[in-house]
Amino acid sequence: MAKKSKFMSWLGFGKSDKKQAEADKQQALAKEQAEKAEQELLAAEQAEAERLQAEAERLEQARIAAEQDRLAQEQAEKAEQERLAAEQAEAERLQAEAEAEHLEQEKQAQAQRAAAEEKQAIEHANAELLAKQQADAEQQRQEHAKRLAEQEAQMQLEQERIAAEQAENERLEQQRIATEQAENERLEQQRIAAEQAENERLEQQRKAAEQAEHERLEQQRIAAEQAENERLEQQRIAAEQAENERLEQQRIAAEQAENERLEQQRIAAEQAENERLEQQRIAAEQ
């Protein structure tokens, strides 16, 4: 058998088998390298696809956060506009009430003047009638009429002074309320602007120092905090406005009650004084 192998090798058949084995080995190596290159290409493509997907997710999250910020800003602006509109409506209502009260005071003053004129005319007629009866009674009546005229003039001056003081007090109160509202609005806008500027500056510093993934998570947290802060701020503003309105209404009601009490007390005192003077006049005439 060994002789046959040597013989086949001498004829060249053995050399061909070696070449074939070498070729098969080279082919297997080339196939292995091709498969390895294919696997590396697939791995690179998969890594690129994963990177692109992560980038797309990050951009989507950023877009959602920006949209949430925009919606929150719009809601805050809408709430601010509604608050300003409510304050303006309340100011107009208070002004209308003040004007109505001023007209009512004018009507009362006119009625009092008419009553005083009518009373003076009656007294003058009675004085003429009494002048025909007795000279002494005429002298007493004239003195009494003079005192009444002086008292009525003083009453008229006092009423005019009270009306002028009330009008001036109402004007000053409205001016004070308008000034306070304007100052509160200016301070609130200044505070909001300062907070927004500070939050933006801190947010930019933090974003510059953190990685992409942390950036995305931080943006979500900031968006949630801003929404909560805005909700709490709106709730606080609403509570402050409600408390201010309640205190203002309570103060106005107390002032009105006090004014009505003083007016009733003054009218009662005037009626008592007039009755006393009338009784003195009747007793003097008798």
Side-chain angles (χ1 to χ4, degrees):
M1 191 70 183
K3 291 180 178 180
K4 185 177 181 181
S5 178
K6 290 180 179 180
F7 178 74
M8 295 295 293
S9 177
W10 178 76
L11 291 176
F13 289 105
K15 187 176 182 180
S16 176
D17 291 339
K18 290 181 179 179
K19 289 182 179 181
Q20 184 63 36
E22 186 68 23
D24 292 341
K25 184 178 179 181
Q26 293 293 330
Q27 185 177 1
L29 181 61
K31 183 178 181 182
E32 183 181 354
Q33 290 177 351
E35 291 176 353
K36 184 178 180 181
E38 182 69 20
Q39 290 176 356
E40 291 177 353
L41 178 61
L42 291 175
E45 289 178 352
Q46 185 177 359
E48 181 65 18
E50 291 175 355
R51 187 187 67 79
L52 293 175
Q53 184 177 359
E55 181 67 17
E57 290 177 356
R58 186 186 67 79
L59 293 175
E60 180 65 16
Q61 292 294 334
R63 184 189 67 78
I64 292 172
E67 183 68 17
Q68 290 177 349
D69 291 341
R70 184 183 64 79
L71 291 176
Q73 183 68 23
E74 290 179 355
Q75 290 177 356
E77 291 176 354
K78 182 179 179 182
E80 182 67 14
Q81 291 175 356
E82 290 177 354
R83 182 182 68 80
L84 293 175
E87 289 180 355
Q88 184 176 1
E90 180 65 16
E92 292 176 354
R93 184 183 67 78
L94 293 175
Q95 184 177 1
E97 289 181 356
E99 291 177 354
E101 184 177 356
H102 181 69
L103 292 175
E104 183 65 23
Q105 290 176 357
E106 287 289 336
K107 290 180 181 178
Q108 291 179 359
Q110 290 177 0
Q112 290 175 355
R113 286 195 295 270
E117 291 175 356
E118 182 178 0
K119 182 178 179 181
Q120 187 176 3
I122 293 172
E123 288 177 352
H124 184 67
N126 291 332
E128 290 180 352
L129 179 62
L130 291 174
K132 294 178 181 179
Q133 295 177 356
Q134 192 177 4
D136 187 43
E138 172 65 18
Q139 182 178 1
Q140 291 179 357
R141 187 202 63 76
Q142 289 178 354
E143 291 176 355
H144 182 67
K146 182 178 180 181
R147 286 194 300 273
L148 286 177
E150 290 176 352
Q151 290 176 356
E152 290 174 355
Q154 290 178 355
M155 288 170 57
Q156 181 66 26
L157 291 174
E158 182 65 18
Q159 290 175 356
E160 291 177 354
R161 184 187 64 79
I162 292 172
E165 287 181 355
Q166 289 178 347
E168 180 64 17
N169 290 333
E170 289 175 356
R171 185 186 67 80
L172 293 175
E173 182 65 17
Q174 291 176 357
Q175 183 177 0
R176 183 188 65 79
I177 291 172
T179 302
E180 287 181 356
Q181 289 177 348
E183 182 63 17
N184 290 333
E185 290 175 359
R186 185 185 67 79
L187 293 175
E188 183 65 16
Q189 291 175 356
Q190 184 177 359
R191 184 188 64 77
I192 292 172
E195 287 181 355
Q196 289 177 347
E198 181 64 15
N199 289 333
E200 290 175 358
R201 185 183 65 80
L202 294 174
E203 184 64 14
Q204 289 175 357
Q205 285 182 349
R206 187 185 58 78
K207 285 180 181 179
E210 294 178 350
Q211 296 177 353
E213 181 62 20
H214 184 69
E215 228 173 352
R216 180 181 65 81
L217 295 175
E218 188 66 12
Q219 286 174 356
Q220 287 181 348
R221 184 187 65 79
I222 290 172
E225 286 182 354
Q226 286 179 346
E228 182 63 17
N229 290 335
E230 289 174 356
R231 184 185 66 78
L232 294 175
E233 183 65 17
Q234 291 174 359
Q235 184 177 358
R236 182 188 66 76
I237 292 172
E240 288 180 356
Q241 288 178 348
E243 182 63 17
N244 291 334
E245 290 176 358
R246 185 185 67 78
L247 293 175
E248 185 64 20
Q249 291 176 357
Q250 183 177 358
R251 184 188 64 76
I252 292 172
E255 288 181 357
Q256 290 179 348
E258 180 64 16
N259 291 333
E260 289 176 359
R261 186 185 67 78
L262 294 175
E263 184 65 20
Q264 291 176 358
Q265 183 178 359
R266 184 185 63 77
I267 292 171
E270 289 178 356
Q271 289 178 349
E273 181 65 17
N274 290 333
E275 289 176 359
R276 186 182 67 79
L277 293 174
E278 185 65 20
Q279 289 176 1
Q280 287 182 355
R281 183 184 66 78
I282 293 171
E285 290 176 357
Q286 291 177 351

